[in-house]
């Protein structure tokens, strides 16, 4: 639970009694690999914080192709914040790609935090803003890069993820076929 509290403290102040409340109202949950945490067009009723493991966010194209939008590793939230915060259906799926240890924050607990923890909403706003900036910084450069350049940048930014992500999912994220990714890897 300390990982979640430390993460939150990076975005704002929490009194000892706020930390105690967070620890009481959240739950560590072991989740098996390939477990779907969220399904497109449904409402998100819990936030998931990744303590151990890797999850991914993905969607399906009109042709039924599965496209990985991004991966979430340790010490990040793995949920559709817009769906959770604004009670709108999510547009993506969220799935574990390794066995995970997650910290679950149910909607009811989140609402208690909003009522009882001074500055909670501002803290969450800072987290969401940072996540959006990270997403833009991750995706925007990829639009003008070749598959090889995207792979090299992925290796540079996320070396710890390379051996934890199946190649077909990495290829989907990079916007290449798994055969192209194999060729890229062999050429290096």
């Amino acid at each position: 639970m300390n990982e979640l509290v430390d993460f939150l403290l990076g975005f704002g102040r929490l009194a000892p009694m706020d930390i105690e409340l967070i620890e009481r109202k959240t739950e560590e949950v072991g989740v098996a690999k390939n477990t779907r945490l969220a399904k497109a067009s449904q409402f998100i009723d819990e936030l998931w914080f990744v303590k151990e493991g890797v999850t991914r966010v993905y969607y399906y194209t009109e042709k039924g192709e599965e496209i990985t939008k991004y991966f979430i590793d340790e010490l990040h939230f793995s949920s559709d914040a817009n769906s959770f915060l604004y009670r709108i259906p999510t547009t993506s799926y969220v799935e574990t790609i390794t066995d995970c240890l997650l910290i679950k924050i149910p909607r009811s607990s989140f609402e208690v935090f909003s009522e009882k923890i001074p500055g909670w909403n501002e803290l969450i706003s800072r987290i969401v803003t940072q996540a959006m900036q990270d997403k833009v910084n991750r995706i925007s450069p990829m639009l003008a890069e070749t598959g090889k350049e995207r792979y090299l940048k992925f290796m540079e930014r996320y070396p710890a993820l390379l051996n934890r992500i199946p190649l077909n999912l990495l290829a989907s994220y990079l916007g290449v076929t798994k055969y192209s990714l194999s060729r890229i890897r062999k050429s290096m």
Side-chain angles (χ1 to χ4, degrees):
M1 207 63 68
N2 291 338
E3 292 84 355
L4 173 61
V5 170
D6 290 343
F7 178 83
L8 294 171
L9 287 169
F11 291 91
R13 296 178 54 183
L14 294 169
M17 63 189 201
D18 300 335
I19 293 170
E20 180 190 326
L21 178 65
I22 291 167
E23 290 173 343
R24 274 190 295 114
K25 294 283 189 180
T26 58
E27 173 186 6
E28 270 187 23
V29 180
V31 180
K33 174 182 179 176
N34 298 325
T35 299
R36 189 174 284 162
L37 301 174
K39 184 176 178 181
S41 76
Q42 293 186 339
F43 294 90
I44 304 294
D45 285 322
E46 59 241 345
L47 289 177
W48 299 96
F49 184 80
V50 181
K51 183 172 177 178
E52 294 175 13
V54 181
T55 67
R56 73 177 179 126
V57 176
Y58 65 101
Y59 65 95
Y60 290 96
T61 66
E62 290 178 3
K63 295 179 183 178
E65 297 173 286
E66 193 176 282
I67 306 294
T68 299
K69 291 168 67 173
Y70 46 90
F71 300 101
I72 299 102
D73 62 353
E74 288 86 358
L75 309 181
H76 295 94
F77 279 100
S78 181
S79 295
D80 183 333
N82 286 331
S83 174
F84 183 82
L85 294 172
Y86 304 113
R87 299 291 299 151
I88 57 175
T90 184
T91 58
S92 301
Y93 297 82
V94 180
E95 175 182 72
T96 59
I97 58 173
T98 65
D99 289 338
C100 291
L101 185 57
L102 305 173
I103 299 173
K104 181 171 86 169
I105 305 173
R107 176 171 300 288
S108 59
S109 296
F110 189 89
E111 289 169 355
V112 168
F113 301 158
S114 292
E115 292 171 18
K116 299 202 180 221
I117 298 176
W120 176 259
N121 293 332
E122 293 82 14
L123 184 145
I124 294 302
S125 177
R126 285 188 211 110
I127 292 170
V128 170
T129 299
Q130 181 65 52
M132 294 303 289
Q133 288 174 341
D134 291 348
K135 189 186 303 184
V136 168
N137 291 338
R138 187 173 48 241
I139 294 170
S140 293
M142 289 180 65
L143 299 174
E145 296 170 338
T146 66
K148 184 174 184 175
E149 291 169 330
R150 290 190 296 266
Y151 180 69
L152 288 170
K153 285 216 173 138
F154 186 88
M155 285 176 46
E156 180 184 313
R157 288 183 189 148
Y158 311 107
L161 289 180
L162 277 177
N163 295 325
R164 299 169 73 189
I165 297 172
L167 288 182
N168 63 319
L169 299 182
L170 180 56
S172 169
Y173 171 75
L174 296 173
V176 299
T177 66
K178 69 179 182 179
Y179 303 108
S180 294
L181 180 56
S182 290
R183 282 196 307 275
I184 290 168
R185 290 167 48 109
K186 284 180 184 175
S187 74
M188 298 173 62

